[in-house]
Amino acid sequence: MELTVIPVEGTPPVERIHVISVTIRTFKGRRNVQAHLFRLADETAAAEGLSSLRTVPGLVGAPLDPNAPGADDLTGPEAETDALRTVLEAFTEAERDAVVDYLSQRYADRLTCIIACPLQLPVPRGVVPFSALPEGKTMGVIRFDEVPRYPLPFAIRGFYDLAQHEPLVHEQE
């Protein structure tokens, strides 16, 4: 299993700056499925976190494409809240290390890769936090924290989209 941890350069504006993704060897009939991990906060912690993040300058930026249809709708507080929720889903350095250690030990035979790196700031308006993405036929969430003997004191989830990955067996047309 390949492990890549990219450190933060300089002093980050917030502690929650680390994001993690994993590549799962085989998952739900697909090969090399990438899952983006996120920290799941309860509503009280999220409200408190959002309140404190609103005071930090430079966390939220302009939309990725200001000329895209609907970009004018991204100027309000809801778009800012979604971008800040994305920051809340990131990990602190200690949490990142705990998650990487846990995954490396528990899932070493199932993962081909773990990548941890700093979140790119500012987060563009219009970015939707992983916890708000709908689950469906190909998109879903792995609930690591619901696995028996889960050892971490905080909940982690992993968002995946099976449509982005090749099937193990090619489907007949």
Side-chain angles (χ1 to χ4, degrees), residues 7-156:
V8 176
E9 292 183 18
T11 304
V14 291
E15 282 189 316
R16 294 204 173 285
I17 192 76
H18 302 276
V19 293
I20 304 168
S21 66
V22 297
T23 303
I24 307 166
R25 194 176 314 282
T26 59
F27 183 73
K28 296 193 175 203
R30 302 289 174 151
R31 183 183 326 272
N32 296 322
V33 174
Q34 189 174 38
H36 303 280
L37 306 186
F38 60 95
R39 188 180 194 283
L40 189 65
D42 64 43
E43 287 304 313
T44 304
E48 291 171 3
L50 284 172
S51 178
S52 67
L53 288 178
R54 288 188 199 289
T55 64
V56 180
L59 290 183
V60 179
L64 284 176
D65 184 358
N67 299 320
D72 292 339
D73 298 334
L74 299 177
T75 58
E78 188 174 318
E80 180 184 55
T81 298
D82 279 349
L84 291 174
R85 283 186 181 276
T86 301
V87 175
L88 283 179
E89 289 181 347
F91 301 94
T92 64
E93 185 175 357
E95 290 170 345
R96 176 204 65 193
D97 293 346
V99 170
V100 167
D101 287 345
Y102 168 66
L103 295 173
S104 296
Q105 292 173 20
R106 178 114 185 223
Y107 297 104
D109 59 333
R110 296 182 190 155
L111 301 177
T112 58
C113 179
I114 300 173
I115 299 174
C117 63
L119 177 65
Q120 293 290 95
L121 294 177
V123 176
R125 288 181 184 273
V127 168
V128 178
F130 288 118
S131 59
L133 293 171
E135 293 188 70
K137 185 176 179 182
T138 63
M139 296 189 320
V141 174
I142 302 167
R143 291 163 173 77
F144 289 98
D145 55 296
E146 293 178 4
V147 173
R149 296 180 307 282
Y150 176 78
L152 301 177
F154 52 90
I156 59 170

